[in-house]
Amino acid sequence: MHQRSARIRGHLAVILSVMLKYTREWCLCMQLIDYTGIEPTSPCNKCLNVSWNSTPSCTCTINFTLDHPFESNVFMYYGLSNFYQNHRRYVKSRDDSQLNGDNSSLLNPSKECEPYRMSEDKPIAPCGAIANSMFNDTLVLYRIDNETRVPIHLNKKGIAWWTDKNVKFRNPSGDANNLTALFQGTTKPVNWPKPVYMLDSDPDNNGFINEDFIVWMRTAALPTFRKLYRLIERKNNLQPTLEAGQYSLDITYNYPVHSFDGRKRMILSTISWMGGKNPFLGIAYITVGSICFFLGVVLLIIHHKFGNRNTSADIPN
Amino acid sequence: MELCAQKRPPEDERRVKANARDYNEKFQYASNCIKTSKYNIVTFLPVNLFEQFQEVANTYFLFLLILQLIPQISSLSWFTTIVPLVLVLTITAVKDATDDYFRHKSDNQVNNRQSQVLINGTLQQEQWMNVRVGDIIKLENNQFVAADLLLLSSSEPHGLCYIETAELDGETNMKVRQAIPVTSELADTSRLAQFDGEVICETPNNKLDKFSGTLYWKENKYLLSNQNMLLRGCVLRNTEWCFGLVIFAGPDTKLMQNSGRTKFKRTSIDRLMNTLVLWIFGFLVCMGVILAFGNAIWEYKVGARFQMYLPWDTAVDSAAFSGFLSFWSYIIILNTVVPISLYVSVEVIRLGHSYFINWDKKMYCAKRRTPAEARTTTLNEELGQVEYIFSDKTGTLTQNIMVFSKCSVHGRSYGDVQDMLGHKAELGERPEPVDFSFNPLADPRFRFWDAGLLAAVQLGNPHVHEFFRLLSLCHTVMSEEKNEGELYYKAQSPDEGALVTAARNFGFVFRARTPKTITVHELGHAITYQLLAILDFNNVRKRMSVIVRNPEGKIRLYCKGADTILLERLHPANLELASITTDHLNEYAGEGLRTLVLAYKDLEEGYYGDWAERLRRASLAPDAREDRLARLYDEVEHDMMLLGATAIEDKLQQGVPETIAILTLANIKIWVLTGDKPETAVNIGYSCKMLTDDMTEVFVVTGHTVLEVREELRKAREKMMDGSRSMGNGFSCQEKLCSSKLPSVLEAIAGEYALVINGHSLAHALEADMELEFLETACACKAVICCRVTPLQKAQVVELVKKYKKAVTLAIGDGANDVSMIKTAHIGVGISGLEGIQAVLAADYSFSQFKFLQRLLLVHGRWSYLRMCKFLCYFFYKNFAFTMVHFWFGFFCGFSAQTVYDQYFITLYNIVYTSLPVLAMGVFDQDVPEQRSMEYPKLYEPGQLNLLFNKREFFICIAQGIYTSVLMFFIPYGVFADATRGDGAQLADYQSFAVTVATSLVIVVSVQIGLDTGFWTAINHFFIWGSLAVYFAILFAMHSNGLFQMFPNQFRFVGNAQNTLAQPIVWLTIALTTVVCIMPVVAFRFLKLDLKPELSDTVRYTQLVRKKQKTQHRCMRRVGRGGGGGPRGPRRSGYAFSHQEGFGELIMSGKNMRLSSLALSSFATRSSTSWIETLRKKKGGDSSNASSPSGGADKTLKV
């Protein structure tokens, strides 16, 4: 019985893995650009040692080519590596009550936020190490069309989970149009150039419900991670979202990672019903499927050769 | 109740003055209130908690809790530890409270028993707890003795009184106690109230058979001994009333002094578990150290430079210190490898198994209305590992009921049940028993199946008449006739009772006796014989005789005794008859019956007169009286005429031979340890098929000195070795094959041997320099019988086997003399039989039939062991799979002690998500159905060899757990590293990762328990599916908006479940993880089933096949009580007679004759009998309900 189930499982796994692999190869494209600037030749090398409050900001531009057109919606990510968003002290250094718009927590943040709880005797909003270390590079994408740089529209809304945006994160209660007043009595996180109520001009994307902020606050499980930065929506069905060709990426380089050997990347990717390109799962399924199949066959042979010994004659008494 | 608990100064001696409470008060003796309970309402909580925190596990978790309160190292919220801890403490506390409640109840019941106390000259009803030292109390028939009393006077002549000490020492025969002469006259309350004697005696102690003290009264000194004492726990019998002076009360009584705190028994699995927990603890520390070093290195290399985003805590000034803190943090999050719920779960499972034993209808004795009872709930799995059983004989193997079964009269054997063809009929198809209705005095309980004997009586066969006349005359039984024709015999030994009852039913009714006469109704005619002498029984003579003068004036000696002795003392004319009778005796002995030979001799008046005169002189002789008497007895018991032989069946408990046979097949060795004589024990050995005539040899060790015993043991071993060598020649090739498997040369011997060892030899054999020799010899034998052993020796034998054999021992017995061995053995079983309840109280299990042992071990024990092993394997596996994920994650989170899972998952994993399915398996699982485990006793062996859970199995489980944890972490890691969700957002956020890993873990361990469960009940299904359902329900609840809005800082995972579990990729990951974790297990088990099946697998498989083919049930009826052919080899005597010396003398002196029976015999007329009747009724009215008709076998023992 076991053996039959093992074999069935084997077959299933093979079919599934082939299917996965097939879908992947067909329509998933991905472009990955490291813009940390470690290599001296990199245009961003000059910005390698920026600090948080360097003014004016260091900017650099990286040109790249897309070999294939990106047919469907394209997702733009920033990726960091060697960045320990999963460190225990980092993970706990936040006050969800404050982020949920609780007024008392706003002015008296949780102790978990230490040492980013108070600054100059004023409560920090949003408090904690996570918020304090928010990613603040600005990435702008241009398509180089006959030597001219055509800016590509990057949608900055719709990148966070619905529950995060609508349930978990809320601005302090009060007049939503006057965030400055709502955040009265608090101060900005130490590393930030500007307070939380000035993250965006759109009141629906400002303060605690700024989606870039929300995305950052959803801490990563592993030290190498990527986070959704912008959406590039497909305009019509005739043209691919991003045609093959020359592109250039303008970076406002504010976020220092060199000191701890971190890396920064920009990723462009399309996705399927299963998410982005993920070779691991496909390979794993193929491997496991084959092993199961093989094992099933071997067990079957063994069973036919030796299984018949199970007779009552064996029972000693 | 608080009275009980007072502390008293130690005593040097005890002074008690009768009727002087004020005087006695100043010594502050303990009152008669006893307290066995531990708590009261106020002290329960602190005392119980204090006791519970003495358990290492609980303290450990308390320590963890304290660690968690330190913010710098707290890697988990405090509730992850406190919730399970509180749960565990509560369950234990509830159990303790219930136990204590019942103790309070029984204390109250005992303390509130009523007794009559003489206060200010009048008898007053008082509760037991208000009885004080120095009080005089009155006891009535069948009442329990309230405290240790000095007997002052009684209703019987000479201040005698009879007590039953069953509850104290287990002996059922009645004992006589006598008041000292001066006080025996104080028979009424007014005189007793005047009594102001003072007793000075020993301090409270636990010696049941010793008492020394002095009574000072009226300026005289009287020595007191144990003969004057009535101890608490005894019951007054056959005595209308008696008065006693309280010497020791309550906790000072010998009964209470003896009931020391029982040693807490642990099973081998318990000990193994403790070792393993220690190892796991070591492992935990190792992991902590590794991770702490990792942390220090990480902080030094990476963390220090990452400080711009994540500064160190203010208290941390170096990487090393951070590593130190991280060690404690990791101890906290990895603590789940040392499972707190393990101990509680094990207790719950054992409790469940105990209830199965209690509820087992097949272990319920309908006759006595006693179910089996697991009195200790912590030993069940050890029942599946027993290798040695030490059994008491009387009351355990036998019912201690003697039945007159067969007899041989003048060369003809009676008593075989015969069917039409002349074959012996099997049990169950017996024809109607013989009808004794012609005899109004017959005992209706007596059964006999051979009508030929009665016919012979009625035809007037003179031999048969003489045979029964002998039985009705030659004994020391006392008769009692409560109503006309309602005879009760008070026999000192059950053998005699059976013989006299047989004679009674066949028309020779022993009616009454006086010191000088015996009245017998011979076929309706009352005949009074003059009793001239009783030649008493003793163990050297092995016979007893009476000399009577019949109404015609002829003097005749009637003798009954052992065949070996009597056959040599017959008149030469009996030679032919003797040889036929010997054949019969052999036949009886072969069936395990106890035989006695009967003979008579006519004495001439002149010779007798001369002999009697010499006897009188000898009995007055100042020195060597015994020897002289013996010589005289010897002289007269000579040249006797053989009458025949009797065969008494010492009724075995039901199913004893079958049980022993099956247990032997299960490789359990059974030793019988009995206080009885060698003859009796050997006899029982044969009748319950422990010994058979097919055995190569039965060694009997009876040496009196060290050298003799050593020599006998050496000879026995040599013989066994010789035997095996000579056998070995024939089967040399086979021998070689076998010998490699067998561990010891001595155990490889061919042929079956048995060892019978006597108590005095055993004493030498148990000495330090010989005990190994003895053990080796004994273990090489198939059956071991130790006779005449003291309770202490019983315990020593058990201790010896325990010490050297590393085997699980079980002791089974029913009397107080078995208590020591029951307490010593790993498992003690008490037979709730006739011999009081002392054994049951000391035992871990109790039931009423020996045969239930088979079911207890082969079914309940085997299952318990199997279940416990499976449970432990799975438990360690699941905890390692769960916890080790943190270890792997440590390498990717900077060794920061970040948990992989949500803290609620950590809290609930062990107590909610995975506890019930494994409990259900631990309680209900079975590999083969119960009939099969009885049918194939070999299935019991894995338990004895400890195969199912040992260190190796443990490492396999741990390895499987670690393997699972690796996959559990690295598969999601591989998938999540680059994956994004279906809506483009990043997948690899911490919370989604946590939910994915947690969900796969719950699913994998659920699938695994499904694979492990061998026997599915509705409860298993319910628990497994229920746990999964509960997991998802709680997951969604915890991640719901409502909870978050109430406590935003506690429920940070809001919206996570629905977001993550909606992703197909998450489910693909979970599926992959499950398959990869389970596949090797399935493959491995499949291979094992095919290539190296266990016996249980084979049995299960055959079961399946058999069901399909519907072949007929294979019946295993190897054993039965077949009569079998005659014995081979030398003749074996079937003689056994459990009798004590001294009663003949007592009868002749008339001391034990009560007024009523004396009267009965002297006024045999009808009118006088009715006069006696009225007298009795009057007395009966006085003593109200206390007197119940108490015959010899009647037990109205109510506790």
Side-chain angles (χ1 to χ4, degrees), chain B residues 870 874 917-918 920-922 924-926 1006-1017 1020-1021 1024 1085 1100:
Chain B
K870 276 186 146 186
Y874 179 79
V918 68
M921 181 181 78
F924 298 108
D925 205 48
Q926 35 185 282
S1006 297
V1007 172
Q1008 181 67 40
I1009 191 85
L1011 284 178
D1012 282 351
T1013 305
F1015 180 75
W1016 287 84
T1017 63
N1020 291 82
H1021 278 288
I1024 293 179
R1085 296 209 176 157
R1100 203 168 36 217

Side-chain angles (χ1 to χ4, degrees), chain A residues 77 88 170 218-219 256 276 285, chain B residues 309 896 980 984 989-990 1045 1068:
Chain A
Y77 303 89
R88 177 170 59 86
R170 269 193 253 155
R218 182 155 282 280
T219 54
Y285 263 88
Chain B
Y309 295 125
S896 60
T980 48
D989 69 285
Y990 165 72
Q1045 254 135 28
L1068 284 173

